[in-house]
């Protein structure tokens, strides 16, 4: 197997840069650079030199002996000064060593998967953690990375194997008297797993929204102050504002962190009847995006006039409160009045929704769980027909088990791996 290496820290100038090596020649390569023996597992400060004796840098050399390492192989890490020139010099020397090559994106993590150090769900959790921008995303990714989904899938799998073994026992001893009826225990095990699967599958959509972000659309008639409100929420001039109706014709998107929840705010075209073809296209797009958004903020006095039905969680606020005499109701992007209250209202709605999400976070997880649940439902149906069809029920249980194994990457995921690891950086 090749020994791979890559910069594991971010590109560009930094105080410290980390270069990671993994594979059978990783310790030998680090030894050549540092000019002396290294501990199988430990850390030492060494002067790093090229094979011709030229000095490269001072650095910490860390060594990990497989399988007690991230990848499950022998691993070495070089912590050097984070200048671009120093990093390039060390990488150049490593590339000239025999049996060493630059790692492909995500190859370190892929080796960890192949060596049993992580399951596929944990790999996805690691990718999500690297991409996490908000506290909710960090917590969600840490849950998956800690292996909680894998542990849950293993418990389901263990219960189903127990149920299948009971049926197999009846089949194997068909010519003998079986002392007890196994169907009650089998049914209890299967129904409990089905209930868990259905609950987790229902929570995937919300979990996906935490991972990718909720969409909140600001809708209203022309010149209601939607773009001004968006700019105030974003803290910058993200959208063009003017006193002329119809200024916004495309969807303006701003990514935000609201109370730890990732949100994409959408500034949409003012909703009205128009003969302007281009503005009409913008209004049609605005309606479509608003209807598909997770939450809508109606910046208007009359939501029904906009032609978009309000959902129970949608928020209505009066526009341009700075122009209203005597009241504190409404919101003004110009003065900031009511913005804190609006943010609190949006945060409350989204937090209530995220309270119901489960551990599974991706559509792939949901599909695997639904496939398993469907097989279990069929197994229960066949179970009612009596012992003569227990072999069919047992096969349905095995189908459900295979679906759960695909959830954590034991089977049927080879076609997913290239896509998953393509999102990783070289050093991960």
């Amino acid at each position: 197997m090749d020994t791979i290496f890559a910069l594991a820290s971010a590109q560009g100038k930094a105080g410290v840069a980390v270069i990671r090596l993994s594979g059978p020649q990783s310790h030998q390569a680090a030894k050549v650079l540092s000019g002396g023996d290294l501990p199988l597992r430990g850390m030492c400060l060494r002067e790093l030199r090229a094979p011709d004796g030229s000095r490269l840098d001072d650095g910490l050399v860390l060594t990990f002996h497989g399988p007690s390492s991230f990848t499950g192989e022998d691993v070495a890490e070089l912590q050097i000064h984070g200048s671009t020139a120093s990093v390039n010099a060390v990488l150049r020397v490593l590339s000239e060593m025999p049996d060493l090559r630059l790692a492909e994106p995500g190859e370190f993590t892929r080796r960890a998967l192949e060596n049993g150090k992580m399951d596929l769900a944990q790999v996805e959790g690691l990718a999500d953690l690297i991409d996490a921008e908000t506290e909710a995303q960090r917590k969600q990714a840490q849950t998956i990375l800690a292996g909680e989904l894998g542990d849950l899938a293993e418990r389901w799998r263990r219960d189903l194997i127990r149920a299948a073994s009971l049926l197999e026992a009846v089949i194997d001893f068909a010519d003998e008297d079986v002392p007890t009826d196994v169907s009650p225990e089998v049914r209890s095990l299967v129904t409990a797993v089905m209930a868990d699967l259905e609950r987790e599958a229902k929570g995937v959509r919300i979990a996906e929204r935490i991972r990718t972000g909720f969409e909140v659309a600001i809708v209203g008639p022309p010149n209601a102050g939607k773009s001004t409100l968006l700019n105030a929420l974003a803290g910058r001039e993200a959208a063009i504002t003017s006193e002329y109706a119809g200024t916004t014709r495309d969807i303006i998107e701003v990514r935000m962190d609201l109370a730890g929840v990732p949100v994409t705010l959408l500034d949409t075209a003012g909703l009205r009847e128009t003969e302007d073809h281009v503005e009409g296209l913008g209004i049609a797009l605005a309606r479509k995006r608003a209807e598909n958004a997770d939450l809508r903020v109606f910046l208007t006095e009359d939501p029904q006039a906009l032609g978009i039905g309000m959902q129970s969680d949608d928020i209505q606020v009066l526009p341009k409160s700075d122009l209203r005499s005597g009241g504190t109701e409404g919101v003004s992007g110009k003065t900031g009045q009511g913005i804190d209250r609006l943010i609190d209202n949006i945060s409350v709605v989204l937090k209530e929704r995220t309270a119901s999400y489960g551990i599974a976070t991706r559509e792939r997880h949901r599909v695997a769980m639904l496939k398993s649940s469907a097989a279990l439902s069929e197994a229960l149906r066949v179970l009612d027909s009596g012992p003569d069809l227990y072999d069919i029920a047992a096969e349905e249980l095995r189908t459900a088990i295979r679906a759960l194994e695909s959830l954590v990457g034991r089977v049927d995921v080879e076609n997913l791996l290239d896509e998953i690891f393509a999102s990783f950086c070289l050093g991960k």
Side-chain angles (χ1 to χ4, degrees):
M1 176 178 288
D2 292 340
T3 297
I4 57 175
F5 67 90
L7 177 66
S9 51
Q11 295 280 351
K13 184 171 64 175
V16 175
V18 178
I19 297 173
R20 174 180 289 167
L21 302 90
S22 181
Q25 298 298 315
S26 59
H27 288 186
Q28 178 61 28
K31 180 179 177 180
V32 170
L33 287 176
S34 59
D37 291 332
L38 299 171
L40 287 179
R41 185 178 185 88
M43 175 179 64
C44 53
L45 178 64
R46 294 291 175 84
E47 183 181 79
L48 304 182
R49 291 185 176 273
D52 63 4
S54 59
R55 187 175 186 277
L56 297 172
D57 199 359
D58 291 327
L60 287 175
V61 181
L62 287 76
T63 49
F64 306 87
H65 190 60
S68 301
S69 69
F70 173 71
T71 63
E73 306 169 341
D74 286 350
V75 170
E77 289 188 358
L78 310 175
Q79 297 186 7
I80 63 175
H81 295 100
S83 75
T84 301
S86 296
V87 170
N88 289 341
V90 174
L91 292 177
R92 184 176 63 253
V93 170
L94 290 174
S95 67
E96 294 171 351
M97 292 184 179
D99 301 322
L100 266 68
R101 64 171 175 83
L102 188 65
E104 297 176 358
E107 190 169 4
F108 289 95
T109 306
R110 186 163 187 160
R111 291 192 176 192
L113 173 67
E114 293 170 346
N115 292 326
K117 305 297 291 186
M118 307 175 74
D119 62 39
L120 187 60
Q122 287 177 293
V123 169
E124 292 168 326
L126 178 57
D128 291 342
L129 182 61
I130 292 172
D131 291 335
E133 298 175 334
T134 70
E135 182 64 8
Q137 289 174 324
R138 183 193 68 80
K139 289 180 177 179
Q140 182 188 67
Q142 288 284 9
T143 297
I144 301 298
L145 182 57
E148 291 191 24
L149 181 57
D151 292 342
L152 190 57
E154 181 58 31
R155 177 168 64 80
W156 294 334
R157 178 177 176 273
R158 187 168 56 248
D159 288 348
L160 296 183
I161 288 175
R162 165 66 179 169
S165 67
L166 290 172
L167 296 181
E168 295 286 356
V170 175
I171 296 170
D172 290 342
F173 295 98
D175 297 332
E176 303 178 21
D177 291 332
V178 179
T180 59
D181 180 9
V182 301
S183 61
E185 183 177 355
V186 171
R187 182 174 296 278
S188 175
L189 290 167
V190 171
T191 53
V193 172
M194 284 182 65
D196 285 350
L197 288 171
E198 291 170 5
R199 184 185 65 253
E200 285 295 328
K202 287 180 180 178
V204 168
R205 184 180 179 277
I206 295 299
E208 274 194 309
R209 278 294 182 246
I210 294 175
R211 186 168 62 84
T212 62
F214 289 90
E215 283 195 351
V216 178
I218 304 173
V219 297
N223 230 2
K226 298 184 297 299
S227 297
T228 303
L229 176 59
L230 177 80
N231 291 340
L233 290 169
R236 59 184 177 87
E237 295 296 318
I240 298 174
T241 61
S242 79
E243 70 274 19
Y244 300 105
T247 299
T248 301
R249 300 196 173 192
D250 202 355
I251 305 294
I252 308 298
E253 301 184 8
V254 174
R255 185 85 168 178
M256 293 184 63
D257 177 345
L258 288 184
V261 177
V263 171
T264 298
L265 289 174
L266 308 178
D267 176 23
T268 61
L271 302 180
R272 65 172 178 176
E273 298 295 328
T274 180
E275 296 181 358
D276 186 304
H277 176 68
V278 176
E279 184 183 0
L281 293 175
I283 291 174
L285 179 60
R287 290 185 185 278
K288 182 177 180 180
R289 288 295 296 273
E291 289 170 352
N292 293 332
D294 299 290
L295 178 67
R296 285 153 292 277
V297 175
F298 285 79
L299 194 61
T300 179
E301 297 182 4
D302 184 11
Q304 294 182 350
L306 300 179
I308 299 177
M310 281 191 69
Q311 304 297 319
S312 58
D313 287 341
D314 287 343
I315 299 171
Q316 179 192 359
V317 290
L318 300 178
K320 297 185 176 181
S321 62
D322 55 300
L323 301 181
R324 299 174 182 273
S325 58
T328 58
E329 294 184 358
V331 66
S332 170
K334 188 174 182 179
T335 66
Q337 180 181 330
I339 285 183
D340 288 344
R341 184 168 61 249
L342 174 60
I343 291 175
D344 289 342
N345 290 341
I346 294 173
S347 300
V348 167
V349 172
L350 296 183
K351 281 189 173 182
E352 288 177 352
R353 293 190 185 183
T354 58
S356 63
Y357 83 93
I359 296 176
T361 60
R362 295 174 182 254
E363 179 64 13
R364 182 185 73 81
H365 302 162
R366 190 182 74 86
V367 170
M369 290 187 291
L370 291 180
K371 182 178 179 180
S372 181
S373 182
L376 295 180
S377 179
E378 182 63 16
L380 288 178
R381 187 189 69 79
V382 175
L383 191 67
D384 291 335
S385 300
D388 289 345
L389 296 181
Y390 276 7
D391 57 336
I392 298 177
E395 181 58 33
E396 292 294 345
L397 290 179
R398 285 191 287 270
T399 298
I401 291 169
R402 286 193 293 271
L404 295 179
E405 288 176 339
S406 72
L407 184 65
V408 293
R410 291 186 178 181
V411 295
D412 297 335
V413 295
E414 193 63 33
N415 59 326
L416 292 172
L417 295 184
D418 290 340
E419 179 181 347
I420 290 173
F421 289 114
S423 65
F424 279 73
C425 58
L426 290 180
K428 202 64 182 175

